[in-house]
Amino acid sequence: MLDTIYEWVKNIAFYLVVMTAVLEVLPGNEYQKYIRFFTGLVLILLVITPLLQMTGMIGQFQGHYQSRQQELQQEIERQSEYFESADAFDFLPEEYVNRNENTSESAEKDSVREIRVEEFRVEEDKE
């Protein structure tokens, strides 16, 4: 029991030292409030961890986290399959797709002219 309390206090002290070092290294004050907010949330988690372990709720939190992580992984896989099978024209508005089709048809009509190469020679320059 004393070892657990010692480990808990050691973790909190180490976290506070690291948090203070990070806040001192930041070049400006514009992000300091966000860093303080985030580090405050982590500190709250560090403080209540022993209570969660004694009540057995830490297992419930881990279970919820893992199930949510699996749901997100499945959603990512579905989205990646969709984008792999999707055509680039699916993302364009109709007016652009129709305009591209019309311009390609008119380009084919305009390209009736034919260029023919009758002779091609390469000569060496003799100087």
Side-chain angles (χ1 to χ4, degrees), residues 74-103:
Q74 291 171 352
E75 180 65 25
I76 289 170
E77 289 172 2
R78 277 196 302 267
Q79 292 295 330
S80 65
E81 288 173 4
Y82 170 74
F83 284 119
E84 286 174 2
S85 66
D87 188 19
F89 289 115
D90 293 341
F91 299 103
L92 291 175
E94 283 294 319
E95 59 199 35
Y96 292 115
V97 174
N98 293 337
R99 188 172 71 183
N100 286 340
E101 290 173 357
N102 292 339
T103 56

PDB file of all heavy atoms in Angstrom, residues 74-103:
ATOM      1  N   GLN A  74     -12.772   0.720 -37.715  1.00  0.00           N
ATOM      2  CA  GLN A  74     -13.676   0.211 -38.743  1.00  0.00           C
ATOM      3  C   GLN A  74     -14.153   1.338 -39.653  1.00  0.00           C
ATOM      4  O   GLN A  74     -14.267   1.165 -40.869  1.00  0.00           O
ATOM      5  CB  GLN A  74     -14.862  -0.491 -38.104  1.00  0.00           C
ATOM      6  CG  GLN A  74     -14.498  -1.796 -37.426  1.00  0.00           C
ATOM      7  CD  GLN A  74     -15.642  -2.379 -36.621  1.00  0.00           C
ATOM      8  OE1 GLN A  74     -16.674  -1.737 -36.440  1.00  0.00           O
ATOM      9  NE2 GLN A  74     -15.460  -3.585 -36.123  1.00  0.00           N
ATOM     10  N   GLU A  75     -14.430   2.501 -39.084  1.00  0.00           N
ATOM     11  CA  GLU A  75     -14.865   3.639 -39.888  1.00  0.00           C
ATOM     12  C   GLU A  75     -13.752   4.095 -40.829  1.00  0.00           C
ATOM     13  O   GLU A  75     -14.005   4.410 -41.992  1.00  0.00           O
ATOM     14  CB  GLU A  75     -15.281   4.797 -38.970  1.00  0.00           C
ATOM     15  CG  GLU A  75     -15.752   6.029 -39.704  1.00  0.00           C
ATOM     16  CD  GLU A  75     -17.026   5.803 -40.492  1.00  0.00           C
ATOM     17  OE1 GLU A  75     -17.820   4.899 -40.134  1.00  0.00           O
ATOM     18  OE2 GLU A  75     -17.223   6.527 -41.476  1.00  0.00           O
ATOM     19  N   ILE A  76     -12.531   4.088 -40.351  1.00  0.00           N
ATOM     20  CA  ILE A  76     -11.397   4.461 -41.194  1.00  0.00           C
ATOM     21  C   ILE A  76     -11.243   3.472 -42.343  1.00  0.00           C
ATOM     22  O   ILE A  76     -11.004   3.865 -43.489  1.00  0.00           O
ATOM     23  CB  ILE A  76     -10.104   4.550 -40.355  1.00  0.00           C
ATOM     24  CG1 ILE A  76     -10.155   5.770 -39.450  1.00  0.00           C
ATOM     25  CG2 ILE A  76      -8.871   4.589 -41.250  1.00  0.00           C
ATOM     26  CD1 ILE A  76      -9.042   5.824 -38.427  1.00  0.00           C
ATOM     27  N   GLU A  77     -11.401   2.182 -42.069  1.00  0.00           N
ATOM     28  CA  GLU A  77     -11.301   1.177 -43.125  1.00  0.00           C
ATOM     29  C   GLU A  77     -12.408   1.348 -44.160  1.00  0.00           C
ATOM     30  O   GLU A  77     -12.161   1.235 -45.363  1.00  0.00           O
ATOM     31  CB  GLU A  77     -11.343  -0.218 -42.514  1.00  0.00           C
ATOM     32  CG  GLU A  77     -10.083  -0.579 -41.742  1.00  0.00           C
ATOM     33  CD  GLU A  77     -10.212  -1.886 -40.986  1.00  0.00           C
ATOM     34  OE1 GLU A  77     -11.286  -2.550 -41.094  1.00  0.00           O
ATOM     35  OE2 GLU A  77      -9.255  -2.248 -40.283  1.00  0.00           O
ATOM     36  N   ARG A  78     -13.642   1.630 -43.702  1.00  0.00           N
ATOM     37  CA  ARG A  78     -14.751   1.857 -44.643  1.00  0.00           C
ATOM     38  C   ARG A  78     -14.479   3.067 -45.520  1.00  0.00           C
ATOM     39  O   ARG A  78     -14.703   3.035 -46.733  1.00  0.00           O
ATOM     40  CB  ARG A  78     -16.064   2.052 -43.878  1.00  0.00           C
ATOM     41  CG  ARG A  78     -16.749   0.782 -43.476  1.00  0.00           C
ATOM     42  CD  ARG A  78     -18.201   1.048 -43.088  1.00  0.00           C
ATOM     43  NE  ARG A  78     -18.322   2.011 -42.010  1.00  0.00           N
ATOM     44  CZ  ARG A  78     -18.391   1.715 -40.715  1.00  0.00           C
ATOM     45  NH1 ARG A  78     -18.359   0.457 -40.339  1.00  0.00           N
ATOM     46  NH2 ARG A  78     -18.501   2.653 -39.806  1.00  0.00           N
ATOM     47  N   GLN A  79     -14.004   4.144 -44.910  1.00  0.00           N
ATOM     48  CA  GLN A  79     -13.736   5.358 -45.677  1.00  0.00           C
ATOM     49  C   GLN A  79     -12.592   5.149 -46.675  1.00  0.00           C
ATOM     50  O   GLN A  79     -12.655   5.638 -47.797  1.00  0.00           O
ATOM     51  CB  GLN A  79     -13.404   6.522 -44.736  1.00  0.00           C
ATOM     52  CG  GLN A  79     -14.559   6.980 -43.888  1.00  0.00           C
ATOM     53  CD  GLN A  79     -15.683   7.577 -44.719  1.00  0.00           C
ATOM     54  OE1 GLN A  79     -15.464   8.153 -45.772  1.00  0.00           O
ATOM     55  NE2 GLN A  79     -16.903   7.410 -44.238  1.00  0.00           N
ATOM     56  N   SER A  80     -11.567   4.427 -46.277  1.00  0.00           N
ATOM     57  CA  SER A  80     -10.452   4.200 -47.202  1.00  0.00           C
ATOM     58  C   SER A  80     -10.894   3.326 -48.372  1.00  0.00           C
ATOM     59  O   SER A  80     -10.482   3.562 -49.513  1.00  0.00           O
ATOM     60  CB  SER A  80      -9.260   3.583 -46.477  1.00  0.00           C
ATOM     61  OG  SER A  80      -9.569   2.299 -46.005  1.00  0.00           O
ATOM     62  N   GLU A  81     -11.748   2.328 -48.133  1.00  0.00           N
ATOM     63  CA  GLU A  81     -12.273   1.513 -49.233  1.00  0.00           C
ATOM     64  C   GLU A  81     -13.106   2.363 -50.177  1.00  0.00           C
ATOM     65  O   GLU A  81     -13.030   2.210 -51.398  1.00  0.00           O
ATOM     66  CB  GLU A  81     -13.115   0.364 -48.681  1.00  0.00           C
ATOM     67  CG  GLU A  81     -12.313  -0.722 -48.009  1.00  0.00           C
ATOM     68  CD  GLU A  81     -13.194  -1.756 -47.323  1.00  0.00           C
ATOM     69  OE1 GLU A  81     -14.435  -1.656 -47.433  1.00  0.00           O
ATOM     70  OE2 GLU A  81     -12.642  -2.651 -46.668  1.00  0.00           O
ATOM     71  N   TYR A  82     -13.901   3.271 -49.613  1.00  0.00           N
ATOM     72  CA  TYR A  82     -14.733   4.147 -50.440  1.00  0.00           C
ATOM     73  C   TYR A  82     -13.864   5.034 -51.333  1.00  0.00           C
ATOM     74  O   TYR A  82     -14.115   5.164 -52.523  1.00  0.00           O
ATOM     75  CB  TYR A  82     -15.642   5.005 -49.566  1.00  0.00           C
ATOM     76  CG  TYR A  82     -16.357   6.083 -50.323  1.00  0.00           C
ATOM     77  CD1 TYR A  82     -17.424   5.781 -51.157  1.00  0.00           C
ATOM     78  CD2 TYR A  82     -15.963   7.415 -50.228  1.00  0.00           C
ATOM     79  CE1 TYR A  82     -18.081   6.764 -51.872  1.00  0.00           C
ATOM     80  CE2 TYR A  82     -16.609   8.404 -50.926  1.00  0.00           C
ATOM     81  CZ  TYR A  82     -17.665   8.073 -51.744  1.00  0.00           C
ATOM     82  OH  TYR A  82     -18.306   9.048 -52.457  1.00  0.00           O
ATOM     83  N   PHE A  83     -12.835   5.646 -50.757  1.00  0.00           N
ATOM     84  CA  PHE A  83     -11.994   6.541 -51.544  1.00  0.00           C
ATOM     85  C   PHE A  83     -11.147   5.799 -52.556  1.00  0.00           C
ATOM     86  O   PHE A  83     -10.829   6.338 -53.611  1.00  0.00           O
ATOM     87  CB  PHE A  83     -11.113   7.395 -50.629  1.00  0.00           C
ATOM     88  CG  PHE A  83     -11.859   8.518 -49.971  1.00  0.00           C
ATOM     89  CD1 PHE A  83     -11.960   8.588 -48.596  1.00  0.00           C
ATOM     90  CD2 PHE A  83     -12.470   9.497 -50.726  1.00  0.00           C
ATOM     91  CE1 PHE A  83     -12.653   9.610 -47.999  1.00  0.00           C
ATOM     92  CE2 PHE A  83     -13.163  10.534 -50.142  1.00  0.00           C
ATOM     93  CZ  PHE A  83     -13.255  10.587 -48.770  1.00  0.00           C
ATOM     94  N   GLU A  84     -10.772   4.566 -52.268  1.00  0.00           N
ATOM     95  CA  GLU A  84     -10.021   3.784 -53.237  1.00  0.00           C
ATOM     96  C   GLU A  84     -10.883   3.408 -54.432  1.00  0.00           C
ATOM     97  O   GLU A  84     -10.405   3.349 -55.566  1.00  0.00           O
ATOM     98  CB  GLU A  84      -9.442   2.538 -52.585  1.00  0.00           C
ATOM     99  CG  GLU A  84      -8.272   2.821 -51.678  1.00  0.00           C
ATOM    100  CD  GLU A  84      -7.803   1.585 -50.936  1.00  0.00           C
ATOM    101  OE1 GLU A  84      -8.365   0.495 -51.156  1.00  0.00           O
ATOM    102  OE2 GLU A  84      -6.873   1.717 -50.126  1.00  0.00           O
ATOM    103  N   SER A  85     -12.164   3.154 -54.198  1.00  0.00           N
ATOM    104  CA  SER A  85     -13.043   2.750 -55.290  1.00  0.00           C
ATOM    105  C   SER A  85     -13.720   3.932 -55.974  1.00  0.00           C
ATOM    106  O   SER A  85     -14.327   3.766 -57.024  1.00  0.00           O
ATOM    107  CB  SER A  85     -14.119   1.798 -54.757  1.00  0.00           C
ATOM    108  OG  SER A  85     -14.976   2.478 -53.864  1.00  0.00           O
ATOM    109  N   ALA A  86     -13.606   5.115 -55.418  1.00  0.00           N
ATOM    110  CA  ALA A  86     -14.296   6.278 -55.977  1.00  0.00           C
ATOM    111  C   ALA A  86     -13.561   6.810 -57.196  1.00  0.00           C
ATOM    112  O   ALA A  86     -12.345   6.704 -57.319  1.00  0.00           O
ATOM    113  CB  ALA A  86     -14.399   7.376 -54.924  1.00  0.00           C
ATOM    114  N   ASP A  87     -14.336   7.372 -58.104  1.00  0.00           N
ATOM    115  CA  ASP A  87     -13.794   8.009 -59.290  1.00  0.00           C
ATOM    116  C   ASP A  87     -13.591   9.490 -58.984  1.00  0.00           C
ATOM    117  O   ASP A  87     -14.318  10.079 -58.199  1.00  0.00           O
ATOM    118  CB  ASP A  87     -14.775   7.839 -60.448  1.00  0.00           C
ATOM    119  CG  ASP A  87     -14.204   8.314 -61.769  1.00  0.00           C
ATOM    120  OD1 ASP A  87     -12.971   8.439 -61.866  1.00  0.00           O
ATOM    121  OD2 ASP A  87     -14.996   8.555 -62.694  1.00  0.00           O
ATOM    122  N   ALA A  88     -12.612  10.104 -59.612  1.00  0.00           N
ATOM    123  CA  ALA A  88     -12.321  11.520 -59.347  1.00  0.00           C
ATOM    124  C   ALA A  88     -13.496  12.408 -59.741  1.00  0.00           C
ATOM    125  O   ALA A  88     -13.740  13.443 -59.126  1.00  0.00           O
ATOM    126  CB  ALA A  88     -11.063  11.950 -60.094  1.00  0.00           C
ATOM    127  N   PHE A  89     -14.266  12.005 -60.756  1.00  0.00           N
ATOM    128  CA  PHE A  89     -15.396  12.813 -61.198  1.00  0.00           C
ATOM    129  C   PHE A  89     -16.564  12.763 -60.210  1.00  0.00           C
ATOM    130  O   PHE A  89     -17.465  13.580 -60.293  1.00  0.00           O
ATOM    131  CB  PHE A  89     -15.864  12.372 -62.590  1.00  0.00           C
ATOM    132  CG  PHE A  89     -14.899  12.748 -63.671  1.00  0.00           C
ATOM    133  CD1 PHE A  89     -14.234  11.770 -64.385  1.00  0.00           C
ATOM    134  CD2 PHE A  89     -14.640  14.075 -63.960  1.00  0.00           C
ATOM    135  CE1 PHE A  89     -13.332  12.113 -65.380  1.00  0.00           C
ATOM    136  CE2 PHE A  89     -13.747  14.427 -64.946  1.00  0.00           C
ATOM    137  CZ  PHE A  89     -13.090  13.439 -65.664  1.00  0.00           C
ATOM    138  N   ASP A  90     -16.559  11.813 -59.287  1.00  0.00           N
ATOM    139  CA  ASP A  90     -17.619  11.744 -58.291  1.00  0.00           C
ATOM    140  C   ASP A  90     -17.596  12.947 -57.357  1.00  0.00           C
ATOM    141  O   ASP A  90     -18.616  13.309 -56.774  1.00  0.00           O
ATOM    142  CB  ASP A  90     -17.496  10.467 -57.442  1.00  0.00           C
ATOM    143  CG  ASP A  90     -17.766   9.224 -58.261  1.00  0.00           C
ATOM    144  OD1 ASP A  90     -18.377   9.351 -59.347  1.00  0.00           O
ATOM    145  OD2 ASP A  90     -17.379   8.129 -57.812  1.00  0.00           O
ATOM    146  N   PHE A  91     -16.446  13.580 -57.222  1.00  0.00           N
ATOM    147  CA  PHE A  91     -16.309  14.685 -56.288  1.00  0.00           C
ATOM    148  C   PHE A  91     -16.504  16.051 -56.944  1.00  0.00           C
ATOM    149  O   PHE A  91     -16.546  17.056 -56.272  1.00  0.00           O
ATOM    150  CB  PHE A  91     -14.925  14.638 -55.616  1.00  0.00           C
ATOM    151  CG  PHE A  91     -14.721  13.385 -54.835  1.00  0.00           C
ATOM    152  CD1 PHE A  91     -13.951  12.352 -55.329  1.00  0.00           C
ATOM    153  CD2 PHE A  91     -15.333  13.222 -53.604  1.00  0.00           C
ATOM    154  CE1 PHE A  91     -13.770  11.197 -54.606  1.00  0.00           C
ATOM    155  CE2 PHE A  91     -15.163  12.066 -52.876  1.00  0.00           C
ATOM    156  CZ  PHE A  91     -14.388  11.049 -53.382  1.00  0.00           C
ATOM    157  N   LEU A  92     -16.605  16.063 -58.283  1.00  0.00           N
ATOM    158  CA  LEU A  92     -16.800  17.319 -58.988  1.00  0.00           C
ATOM    159  C   LEU A  92     -18.278  17.617 -59.144  1.00  0.00           C
ATOM    160  O   LEU A  92     -19.089  16.707 -59.313  1.00  0.00           O
ATOM    161  CB  LEU A  92     -16.163  17.246 -60.378  1.00  0.00           C
ATOM    162  CG  LEU A  92     -14.644  17.197 -60.429  1.00  0.00           C
ATOM    163  CD1 LEU A  92     -14.193  17.004 -61.877  1.00  0.00           C
ATOM    164  CD2 LEU A  92     -14.050  18.454 -59.864  1.00  0.00           C
ATOM    165  N   PRO A  93     -18.655  18.888 -59.114  1.00  0.00           N
ATOM    166  CA  PRO A  93     -20.053  19.232 -59.392  1.00  0.00           C
ATOM    167  C   PRO A  93     -20.411  18.878 -60.836  1.00  0.00           C
ATOM    168  O   PRO A  93     -19.544  18.788 -61.708  1.00  0.00           O
ATOM    169  CB  PRO A  93     -20.086  20.754 -59.176  1.00  0.00           C
ATOM    170  CG  PRO A  93     -18.893  21.070 -58.363  1.00  0.00           C
ATOM    171  CD  PRO A  93     -17.876  20.034 -58.677  1.00  0.00           C
ATOM    172  N   GLU A  94     -21.695  18.711 -61.087  1.00  0.00           N
ATOM    173  CA  GLU A  94     -22.179  18.287 -62.402  1.00  0.00           C
ATOM    174  C   GLU A  94     -21.753  19.243 -63.513  1.00  0.00           C
ATOM    175  O   GLU A  94     -21.425  18.821 -64.610  1.00  0.00           O
ATOM    176  CB  GLU A  94     -23.703  18.169 -62.396  1.00  0.00           C
ATOM    177  CG  GLU A  94     -24.219  16.922 -61.732  1.00  0.00           C
ATOM    178  CD  GLU A  94     -23.830  15.673 -62.491  1.00  0.00           C
ATOM    179  OE1 GLU A  94     -23.884  15.683 -63.739  1.00  0.00           O
ATOM    180  OE2 GLU A  94     -23.480  14.687 -61.843  1.00  0.00           O
ATOM    181  N   GLU A  95     -21.767  20.527 -63.228  1.00  0.00           N
ATOM    182  CA  GLU A  95     -21.451  21.493 -64.278  1.00  0.00           C
ATOM    183  C   GLU A  95     -20.028  21.328 -64.793  1.00  0.00           C
ATOM    184  O   GLU A  95     -19.760  21.508 -65.970  1.00  0.00           O
ATOM    185  CB  GLU A  95     -21.665  22.909 -63.767  1.00  0.00           C
ATOM    186  CG  GLU A  95     -20.818  23.233 -62.554  1.00  0.00           C
ATOM    187  CD  GLU A  95     -21.333  24.424 -61.785  1.00  0.00           C
ATOM    188  OE1 GLU A  95     -22.549  24.593 -61.717  1.00  0.00           O
ATOM    189  OE2 GLU A  95     -20.507  25.162 -61.247  1.00  0.00           O
ATOM    190  N   TYR A  96     -19.094  20.941 -63.926  1.00  0.00           N
ATOM    191  CA  TYR A  96     -17.715  20.741 -64.377  1.00  0.00           C
ATOM    192  C   TYR A  96     -17.577  19.445 -65.166  1.00  0.00           C
ATOM    193  O   TYR A  96     -16.845  19.389 -66.141  1.00  0.00           O
ATOM    194  CB  TYR A  96     -16.750  20.733 -63.191  1.00  0.00           C
ATOM    195  CG  TYR A  96     -16.630  22.069 -62.524  1.00  0.00           C
ATOM    196  CD1 TYR A  96     -17.060  22.242 -61.215  1.00  0.00           C
ATOM    197  CD2 TYR A  96     -16.094  23.157 -63.188  1.00  0.00           C
ATOM    198  CE1 TYR A  96     -16.957  23.466 -60.593  1.00  0.00           C
ATOM    199  CE2 TYR A  96     -15.986  24.387 -62.579  1.00  0.00           C
ATOM    200  CZ  TYR A  96     -16.421  24.541 -61.285  1.00  0.00           C
ATOM    201  OH  TYR A  96     -16.319  25.742 -60.672  1.00  0.00           O
ATOM    202  N   VAL A  97     -18.278  18.412 -64.729  1.00  0.00           N
ATOM    203  CA  VAL A  97     -18.199  17.138 -65.443  1.00  0.00           C
ATOM    204  C   VAL A  97     -18.779  17.296 -66.835  1.00  0.00           C
ATOM    205  O   VAL A  97     -18.188  16.869 -67.820  1.00  0.00           O
ATOM    206  CB  VAL A  97     -18.938  16.029 -64.655  1.00  0.00           C
ATOM    207  CG1 VAL A  97     -18.998  14.758 -65.456  1.00  0.00           C
ATOM    208  CG2 VAL A  97     -18.280  15.811 -63.310  1.00  0.00           C
ATOM    209  N   ASN A  98     -19.945  17.959 -66.954  1.00  0.00           N
ATOM    210  CA  ASN A  98     -20.572  18.170 -68.266  1.00  0.00           C
ATOM    211  C   ASN A  98     -19.723  19.071 -69.135  1.00  0.00           C
ATOM    212  O   ASN A  98     -19.612  18.856 -70.331  1.00  0.00           O
ATOM    213  CB  ASN A  98     -21.964  18.768 -68.095  1.00  0.00           C
ATOM    214  CG  ASN A  98     -22.914  17.786 -67.445  1.00  0.00           C
ATOM    215  OD1 ASN A  98     -22.698  16.580 -67.503  1.00  0.00           O
ATOM    216  ND2 ASN A  98     -23.944  18.298 -66.802  1.00  0.00           N
ATOM    217  N   ARG A  99     -19.103  20.092 -68.554  1.00  0.00           N
ATOM    218  CA  ARG A  99     -18.284  21.006 -69.336  1.00  0.00           C
ATOM    219  C   ARG A  99     -17.057  20.280 -69.887  1.00  0.00           C
ATOM    220  O   ARG A  99     -16.672  20.475 -71.025  1.00  0.00           O
ATOM    221  CB  ARG A  99     -17.858  22.197 -68.476  1.00  0.00           C
ATOM    222  CG  ARG A  99     -17.172  23.266 -69.309  1.00  0.00           C
ATOM    223  CD  ARG A  99     -16.931  24.504 -68.527  1.00  0.00           C
ATOM    224  NE  ARG A  99     -15.894  24.236 -67.558  1.00  0.00           N
ATOM    225  CZ  ARG A  99     -15.476  25.106 -66.657  1.00  0.00           C
ATOM    226  NH1 ARG A  99     -16.041  26.285 -66.591  1.00  0.00           N
ATOM    227  NH2 ARG A  99     -14.519  24.796 -65.806  1.00  0.00           N
ATOM    228  N   ASN A 100     -16.474  19.403 -69.087  1.00  0.00           N
ATOM    229  CA  ASN A 100     -15.308  18.644 -69.557  1.00  0.00           C
ATOM    230  C   ASN A 100     -15.690  17.712 -70.695  1.00  0.00           C
ATOM    231  O   ASN A 100     -14.942  17.531 -71.640  1.00  0.00           O
ATOM    232  CB  ASN A 100     -14.675  17.853 -68.416  1.00  0.00           C
ATOM    233  CG  ASN A 100     -13.911  18.746 -67.478  1.00  0.00           C
ATOM    234  OD1 ASN A 100     -13.533  19.844 -67.839  1.00  0.00           O
ATOM    235  ND2 ASN A 100     -13.688  18.267 -66.272  1.00  0.00           N
ATOM    236  N   GLU A 101     -16.876  17.102 -70.605  1.00  0.00           N
ATOM    237  CA  GLU A 101     -17.322  16.220 -71.683  1.00  0.00           C
ATOM    238  C   GLU A 101     -17.568  17.019 -72.954  1.00  0.00           C
ATOM    239  O   GLU A 101     -17.210  16.593 -74.052  1.00  0.00           O
ATOM    240  CB  GLU A 101     -18.587  15.481 -71.265  1.00  0.00           C
ATOM    241  CG  GLU A 101     -18.351  14.448 -70.186  1.00  0.00           C
ATOM    242  CD  GLU A 101     -19.646  13.848 -69.658  1.00  0.00           C
ATOM    243  OE1 GLU A 101     -20.729  14.287 -70.098  1.00  0.00           O
ATOM    244  OE2 GLU A 101     -19.563  12.951 -68.817  1.00  0.00           O
ATOM    245  N   ASN A 102     -18.180  18.205 -72.822  1.00  0.00           N
ATOM    246  CA  ASN A 102     -18.463  19.039 -73.994  1.00  0.00           C
ATOM    247  C   ASN A 102     -17.173  19.542 -74.623  1.00  0.00           C
ATOM    248  O   ASN A 102     -17.060  19.596 -75.839  1.00  0.00           O
ATOM    249  CB  ASN A 102     -19.348  20.230 -73.604  1.00  0.00           C
ATOM    250  CG  ASN A 102     -20.738  19.781 -73.206  1.00  0.00           C
ATOM    251  OD1 ASN A 102     -21.164  18.690 -73.568  1.00  0.00           O
ATOM    252  ND2 ASN A 102     -21.435  20.614 -72.451  1.00  0.00           N
ATOM    253  N   THR A 103     -16.220  19.936 -73.830  1.00  0.00           N
ATOM    254  CA  THR A 103     -14.959  20.432 -74.395  1.00  0.00           C
ATOM    255  C   THR A 103     -14.191  19.312 -75.069  1.00  0.00           C
ATOM    256  O   THR A 103     -13.537  19.535 -76.074  1.00  0.00           O
ATOM    257  CB  THR A 103     -14.081  21.095 -73.319  1.00  0.00           C
ATOM    258  OG1 THR A 103     -13.866  20.164 -72.267  1.00  0.00           O
ATOM    259  CG2 THR A 103     -14.711  22.355 -72.786  1.00  0.00           C
TER     260      THR A 103
END
